[in-house]
Amino acid sequence: MSDDNKTVLISQQGAVRILTNSNPGARNAITPTLYAELSAALADAQNDPEVGAVVFTGAGDFFCSGGDLNLLAKRRELPAPERREKLEGLHDLIRGIRDFGKPVIAAVEGGAAGAGLSMALACDMLVSARDAFYTVAYVKVGLTPDGGATAFLAEFVSRQVLTEMCLTGDRMTAERLHALGAVNRLTDKGAALAEAIALAARVADGPERAIARIKTLCRQAHRATLEQQLDAEAVHMVESQADAEAAEGIGAFLGKRRADFAALRRKTKPDAS
């Protein structure tokens, strides 16, 4: 399924779709081409009943070095509205990763810098090599964070740590992020992708619509009050109870068999027979 002429390479292992940002000569720096190709790849994965989860990674030995500074330098010449319009390409991609209906797992080798950090943290889970580093490096080139970096980091670090990371641009180790709760799995160097695929495979066969509801609950849990979260949980539970997924899951449990949620995904697609 891969195409070496594209920025986003696509492959599949079982029910896991693997999307690879392939710009290794620039340490997989983010480009406008990536916005379009990754957004299209996510849309295709969302509509494919054979896909239960997605792994996002970078080609070679580095996840993503952030924005292309050569492109950013040229944007200084543009009027502010045009600069904002181009920035929204990144922000729309971040929203697309966050709001994607199926689980998305980042597999990080080497490091994630700037908007590359934002992309990794926008995923539902993160698998990282122990020697990888993470940095909000904007201040070093006279810029401020984008891509939701400050929002994602604020979910698990204090204001003081967040401020230090943003004002110094210093690297934070994968092991420290793991201790803070931002990294789900630590691996040896070169093993992040395999571990991410294994983790994705565990959730890929799950109930698609229930998983989308769970993702929504988890996304808003940090910002919601208890009453707001109780209300949201009630809404989603009532929906789930009437869903065919619940009938299959409960029936399988009581019948002491394995639930076949993948078959339900195929049945609900318009093209399915």
Side-chain angles (χ1 to χ4, degrees), residues 243-268:
D243 201 303
E245 292 176 343
E248 169 63 14
I250 294 171
F253 181 84
L254 295 177
K256 297 182 179 180
R257 62 177 175 82
R258 182 183 178 86
D260 190 354
F261 295 116
L264 289 179
R265 288 203 301 270
R266 290 189 287 271
K267 287 180 182 178
T268 58

Side-chain angles (χ1 to χ4, degrees), residues 43-74:
D44 182 70
Q46 182 65 61
N47 294 323
D48 190 336
E50 300 302 324
V51 176
V54 168
V55 169
F56 180 51
T57 193
D61 58 3
F62 204 85
F63 180 75
C64 180
S65 59
D68 186 330
L69 291 180
N70 290 313
L71 291 177
L72 293 177
K74 294 178 181 178

